[in-house]
Amino acid sequence: MITPAFELTQDPDFLTIVIKVPYARASEFDVYFEGEDFKFYAKPYFLRLTLPGRIVEDGREKASYNTDKGTFTIRLPKEIPGQYFEGLDMLTSLLAPKKSRSAKPLVEEIAASAELSEEEEEEFDWEIEQTPCKDSAESSIPQYCYGFGNLRSGVFQRLQDELSDVIDIKDPDQTPVDERRRKRLEAESAKFEPDHYLADFFEDEAVQHVLKYKPWWVDAHKKMTALKGESHQDQVTHTVGENIFVFSEEEREQLRKFTNKSYLLDKRSRHHVYLGLIDILLAYCYEVRVNEGDKNVESSWNIRKLSATLCWLEGFTNVHDVLVSFGRRVMCYPLYRHFELVTRAFSDTVMILQLGKAAVLKCLLDIHKIFMENDPAYILNDLFITDYCIWIQKANSFNLHNKGDLYVERDDLPQ
């Protein structure tokens, strides 16, 4: 368990507790309080405080979650209005454990500025040893960046044990990109099984079956092509594609929950973002095809395992390396390891890119939902997918359309 950074303030009637829980799953957390006891849990964070005064549950308690800052703000009424709580800045003493007491559950789920609700939860051991959280910025050890546009660092420094099932690279904060790539290639070469590949090559009935499946973007691309032919204007292909799609109410709700923001990316970072997008879409196209559009418990694993961007925090520099990486990983990890699935994912991704940013956004929203429903893969939404969903809405459709030229030789894959 990780003790989060926190701070306490007060006014005459309320005690306010701000808890910093970056990359926690905000929809699943617990808060308990009674008298001088305050307890908070949101995997992998845990906080237990012994307060210098008593708080009370009387219906005025409220909480909010700031998605940009990753902070919970909880306002709790004082039992005696006007009482001054001493020592709120003595954080270590506030963490001191006490004997177990009864506690009332406050909330199970929270949305921004939502009122707290009462629900019983499983018994949790609140007497775990706590260590005050240290800001990663205080570390003198150099940290390397990753995530969307290489805008993140320090995320895995304290969460490595929790997130070992999400990514394959160990200690990414102290591992430069070149070293990540070298370790990834070694892992792929060690994982490649010729017998598995040959079995799928010669006994390919199941593979041929999924190759016949037509995802939604196939018909959409045909419709776009027909509309382009009617307009006789090649240069407006990407704008024609934008007009084909209607987002579902569920997708619109996803979009409403995102925070609108801008990204200051230099030319190199934008290049990395586009290449990472291609890598993620390739993995998604494979997943949709092999499961014929259905979701299952392996969907999250397929996407993140086949994308080196997600699984190894890879930073690609050219399209060829993206395609080779994806092809190698298809040959090494999933159930079906067939080169035709690689080339079909290429053509599927080309169609999505040519359809424009509305089609790309639909795919990203689906990935976001898949990761959100999988613990602990939701961290990849915070590192990549949420930012991609926001960024793509302002991206240049012409640039996306021009990315639709993907090709790789079979000889580039593991031998």
Side-chain angles (χ1 to χ4, degrees):
M1 290 296 174
I2 299 172
T3 301
F6 66 97
E7 60 183 47
L8 293 85
T9 58
Q10 62 181 317
D11 60 34
D13 297 324
F14 288 90
L15 174 70
T16 300
I17 306 174
V18 179
I19 307 173
K20 299 179 181 179
V21 287
Y23 309 106
R25 197 167 189 172
S27 61
E28 298 181 7
F29 73 96
D30 294 309
V31 177
Y32 295 81
F33 74 93
E34 183 180 41
E36 297 176 351
D37 290 340
F38 175 84
K39 304 168 185 179
F40 173 92
Y41 171 68
K43 186 178 181 180
Y45 296 98
F46 155 73
L47 179 65
R48 179 190 66 251
L49 301 177
T50 300
L51 302 172
R54 294 179 63 84
I55 51 180
V56 64
E57 179 183 0
D58 62 5
R60 294 181 295 158
E61 57 276 0
K62 291 183 181 297
S64 63
Y65 179 69
N66 187 312
T67 55
D68 289 337
K69 297 180 179 179
T71 58
F72 281 102
T73 301
I74 303 172
R75 281 173 55 84
L76 302 172
K78 293 180 178 179
E79 186 173 272
I80 303 176
Q83 180 183 7
Y84 179 76
F85 288 3
E86 296 184 0
L88 293 184
D89 55 347
M90 304 298 169
L91 303 185
T92 304
S93 64
L94 295 175
L95 291 171
K98 274 195 170 186
K99 294 296 183 181
S100 175
R101 300 181 182 181
S102 61
K104 297 180 180 179
L106 178 60
V107 297
E108 180 189 9
E109 293 189 359
I110 184 170
S113 301
E115 289 196 359
L116 306 178
S117 59
E118 292 189 8
E119 294 236 354
E120 290 292 339
E121 278 293 320
E122 292 184 7
E123 200 65 30
F124 181 78
D125 181 10
W126 295 103
E127 301 304 318
I128 297 174
E129 185 67 24
Q130 298 182 106
T131 302
C133 178
K134 295 182 180 179
D135 194 330
S136 59
E138 299 175 0
S139 175
S140 60
I141 301 175
Q143 294 186 340
Y144 296 96
C145 296
Y146 41 77
F148 176 88
N150 284 325
L151 298 177
R152 303 284 195 277
S153 65
V155 176
F156 294 94
Q157 188 171 357
R158 291 175 62 86
L159 303 182
Q160 183 66 62
D161 291 340
E162 294 290 337
L163 303 176
S164 59
D165 291 337
V166 179
I167 64 172
D168 287 351
I169 178 66
K170 305 301 180 185
D171 198 14
D173 291 296
Q174 275 75 55
T175 308
V177 174
D178 291 343
E179 183 69 7
R180 294 179 211 161
R181 183 173 299 117
R182 183 186 64 79
K183 291 182 176 181
R184 173 177 65 81
L185 294 174
E186 289 178 354
E188 289 167 358
S189 296
K191 181 64 176 177
F192 180 66
E193 300 175 7
D195 290 345
H196 191 141
Y197 174 78
L198 291 173
D200 282 357
F201 182 78
F202 289 108
E203 300 175 7
D204 64 347
E205 293 83 0
V207 172
Q208 294 303 322
H209 173 76
V210 297
L211 285 172
K212 296 176 182 177
Y213 174 71
K214 292 184 178 181
W216 59 264
W217 52 77
V218 174
D219 288 337
H221 192 268
K222 289 180 179 178
K223 183 177 180 181
M224 183 197 71
T225 303
L227 291 173
K228 185 187 79 169
E230 293 174 3
S231 66
H232 302 289
Q233 297 181 42
D234 291 344
Q235 65 270 25
V236 299
T237 300
H238 55 280
T239 58
V240 170
E242 303 296 333
N243 298 323
I244 294 176
F245 304 101
V246 176
F247 290 103
S248 67
E249 183 54 39
E250 182 180 10
E251 291 168 334
R252 292 178 182 274
E253 180 62 24
Q254 283 181 274
L255 292 171
R256 284 192 287 267
K257 290 181 179 179
F258 294 140
T259 300
N260 185 22
K261 56 185 176 181
S262 299
Y263 299 91
L264 299 177
L265 303 174
D266 57 25
K267 185 176 181 180
R268 182 179 181 181
S269 295
R270 286 197 302 271
H271 188 58
H272 285 165
V273 166
Y274 276 112
L275 295 176
L277 176 63
I278 293 173
D279 184 48
I280 294 169
L281 288 177
L282 286 167
Y284 174 72
C285 289
Y286 176 96
E287 152 61 23
V288 171
R289 180 166 294 280
V290 298
N291 287 311
E292 300 182 79
D294 294 330
K295 307 292 190 302
N296 59 40
V297 294
E298 298 296 327
S299 295
S300 171
W301 186 92
N302 277 338
I303 296 171
R304 68 178 190 261
K305 198 70 173 182
L306 296 182
S307 168
T309 297
L310 301 177
C311 197
W312 282 87
L313 307 179
E314 177 67 85
F316 293 106
T317 58
N318 59 77
V319 174
H320 181 270
D321 287 351
V322 175
L323 304 184
V324 172
S325 170
F326 172 73
R328 287 171 61 93
R329 299 187 74 75
V330 171
M331 296 298 105
C332 296
Y333 293 102
L335 176 62
Y336 299 128
R337 306 178 188 180
H338 199 285
F339 190 73
E340 283 193 50
L341 289 172
V342 176
T343 57
R344 190 59 60 88
F346 291 172
S347 62
D348 286 338
T349 302
V350 167
M351 283 188 275
I352 293 170
L353 293 172
Q354 290 178 344
L355 283 167
K357 60 186 181 183
V360 175
L361 180 56
K362 285 182 73 72
C363 296
L364 290 171
L365 290 173
D366 197 23
I367 297 171
H368 190 279
K369 180 182 178 183
I370 292 171
F371 286 167
M372 202 64 189
E373 295 172 351
N374 183 272
D375 187 9
Y378 66 87
I379 189 70
L380 296 175
N381 283 339
D382 294 329
L383 289 175
F384 292 97
I385 308 304
T386 297
D387 288 319
Y388 268 114
C389 288
I390 298 170
W391 166 82
I392 196 64
Q393 298 178 58
K394 300 178 182 179
N396 189 316
S397 293
F398 183 75
N399 288 341
L400 289 174
H401 182 254
N402 284 346
K403 299 297 178 184
D405 184 15
L406 310 181
Y407 181 72
V408 68
E409 294 282 356
R410 186 190 298 260
D411 291 342
D412 288 324
L413 304 181
Q415 301 299 312

